[in-house]
Amino acid sequence: MGRSDRAATHWDVAYGRGERTVSWFQPLPARSLKMIEEAGIGPAAALVDVGGGTSRLVDELLDRGYGDITVLDVSDAALANARDRLADRAWQATWVLADVRDWRPDRRFDLWHDRATFHFQVDPADRDAYVATLDATTGTGSVAIFATFAPDGPSHCSGLPVTRYDSAGIAAVLGNGWRLMASDHEDHHTPSGAVQSFTWTAFRKR
Ligand SMILES: C[S@@+](CC[C@H](N)C(=O)[O-])C[C@H]1O[C@@H](n2cnc3c(N)ncnc32)[C@H](O)[C@@H]1O
């Protein structure tokens, strides 16, 4: 089994337990919406939610009139769940079943949003593959927003090890091609009542 098949199986099983059992569930992606607005990304922009899963970010963006939204995830179960929720609005977004590390779309995005996959890239080769996709998929002026576990956050998510970051750590992975625009901290409250410390960052591509 290759790395993408392993990832797909892992995440399909996680979502199979029920969306509201997962630690990352949030009824409203308030921080994402705030960062997107503050970065000046408006409804005409092309957005991709990387590892979007069953996040309600796509619903909220559609409500706000965004017209070019792509949701990418390695889990078919997650994408099917999100499409079912959106029902007759699902066609308004583009759904991509892919591993971000291998994805090479024939277009670019104004906004890359990831509250999902960046901190799972603990292997340097996976990190390089992730950044290669990010760089191939964005252009000068594009914005990239990342939410990762913070240095005082958990060491694992969904049973998988993560790298914990502050803004400087993320900047170091992205390299000089990206300029840090904003950073923030969030205490995420999981459905089971735990508190997880997150680092939020926004970068603009030079
Ligand atoms: C912690 S969940 C976050 C989901 C969503 N962003 C949210 O905020 O609710 C991580 C998500 O990333 C997806 N994922 C994990 N590894 C991936 C990869 N290599 N490529 C694409 N998606 C991936 C999982 O299927 C899952 O939906």
Side-chain angles (χ1 to χ4, degrees):
M1 198 189 269
R3 67 179 183 183
S4 300
D5 292 331
R6 277 199 305 278
T9 302
H10 174 88
W11 292 102
D12 281 346
V13 169
Y15 282 109
R17 296 190 195 107
E19 182 203 19
R20 282 170 193 262
T21 69
V22 298
S23 60
W24 56 93
F25 175 77
Q26 51 178 191
L28 179 70
R31 186 64 56 127
S32 302
L33 292 165
K34 179 171 178 279
M35 301 277 294
I36 291 169
E37 187 187 329
E38 288 177 359
I41 299 294
L47 288 74
V48 58
D49 189 14
V50 176
T54 58
S55 165
R56 281 149 170 76
L57 182 59
V58 56
D59 313 41
E60 295 294 331
L61 292 171
L62 288 173
D63 286 348
R64 289 162 174 72
Y66 286 77
D68 188 351
I69 307 164
T70 297
V71 182
L72 171 137
D73 206 283
V74 76
S75 166
D76 206 12
L79 294 181
N81 182 314
R83 281 193 301 260
D84 286 351
R85 187 185 66 234
L86 280 160
D88 60 5
R89 292 203 298 163
W91 66 270
Q92 294 179 39
T94 300
W95 305 91
V96 178
L97 179 63
D99 188 315
V100 63
R101 295 166 293 190
D102 305 324
W103 188 45
R104 283 296 176 275
D106 55 7
R107 60 170 306 195
R108 289 184 166 185
F109 295 90
D110 303 310
L111 178 80
W112 174 283
H113 175 272
D114 183 337
R115 177 184 181 261
T117 70
F118 185 86
H119 64 183
F120 290 113
Q121 312 311 323
V122 296
D123 182 298
D126 287 335
R127 256 193 319 262
D128 289 350
Y130 179 102
V131 173
T133 303
L134 169 68
D135 283 337
T137 312
T138 50
T140 301
S142 293
V143 171
I145 294 174
F146 303 96
T148 69
F149 283 168
D152 60 345
S155 61
H156 287 68
C157 176
S158 186
L160 300 175
V162 303
T163 302
R164 292 173 282 191
Y165 288 102
D166 57 16
S167 58
I170 300 173
V173 172
L174 299 185
N176 286 337
W178 292 87
R179 179 178 62 79
L180 181 66
M181 300 164 63
S183 65
D184 209 345
H185 175 265
E186 180 191 23
D187 283 332
H188 166 63
H189 294 258
T190 74
S192 66
V195 178
Q196 296 178 332
S197 179
F198 271 79
T199 295
W200 282 85
T201 51
F203 291 82
R204 192 177 293 281
K205 194 168 183 177
R206 296 182 204 272

